[in-house]
């Protein structure tokens, strides 16, 4: 003899209706891979880092700092270039 619950559960039906398509799906939700496609993850990583370093050095020189380390520490205290230019820093 097989025992089954035939009664309806209103709360479970409500949750299933609300999250339909997000829960209890079959298979993976990941997109299919394309054969032979090249990944673009990390492209130009080192060039972008070098460009950012050059930009920081140029900003430090423009604002009259002797080195980029002191410039970075001052920008951290002020909370960014715009606050530094306005004269608004930590505690002002």
């Amino acid at each position: 003899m097989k025992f089954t619950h035939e009664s309806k559960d209103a709360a479970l039906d409500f949750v299933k209706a609300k999250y339909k398509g997000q829960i209890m799906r079959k298979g993976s939700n990941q997109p299919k891979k394309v054969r032979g496609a090249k990944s673009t993850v990390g492209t130009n990583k080192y060039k972008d880092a070098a460009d950012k370093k050059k930009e920081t050095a140029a900003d430090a020189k423009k604002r009259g700092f002797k080195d980029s380390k002191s410039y970075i520490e001052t920008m951290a205290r002020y909370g960014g270039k715009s606050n530094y230019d306005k004269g608004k820093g930590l505690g002002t």
Side-chain angles (χ1 to χ4, degrees):
M1 190 165 137
K2 197 172 187 184
F3 179 76
T4 60
H5 288 274
E6 294 295 326
S7 62
K8 290 278 186 178
D9 188 359
L12 183 61
D13 291 340
F14 174 76
V15 171
K16 281 183 182 179
K18 184 175 180 183
Y19 295 105
K20 184 175 176 132
Q22 295 179 20
I23 58 172
M24 297 165 57
R25 71 169 61 111
K26 293 180 181 175
S28 177
N29 195 29
Q30 293 182 350
K32 295 286 184 188
K33 294 180 185 175
V34 179
R35 254 189 115 109
K38 299 283 183 183
S39 173
T40 58
V41 175
T43 308
N44 293 334
K45 181 169 83 170
Y46 296 107
K47 183 184 180 305
D48 291 344
D51 291 344
K52 189 174 179 184
K53 188 174 180 181
K54 286 178 190 174
E55 182 184 347
T56 303
D59 286 344
K61 187 174 182 183
K62 183 175 91 174
R63 288 183 171 85
F65 287 88
K66 62 180 181 176
D67 60 351
S68 57
K69 183 179 178 183
S70 60
Y71 168 74
I72 291 169
E73 290 172 354
T74 304
M75 288 303 116
R77 274 199 315 271
Y78 276 83
K81 297 177 198 174
S82 61
N83 286 344
Y84 179 77
D85 293 339
K86 292 176 192 171
K88 294 182 178 179
L90 192 70
T92 59

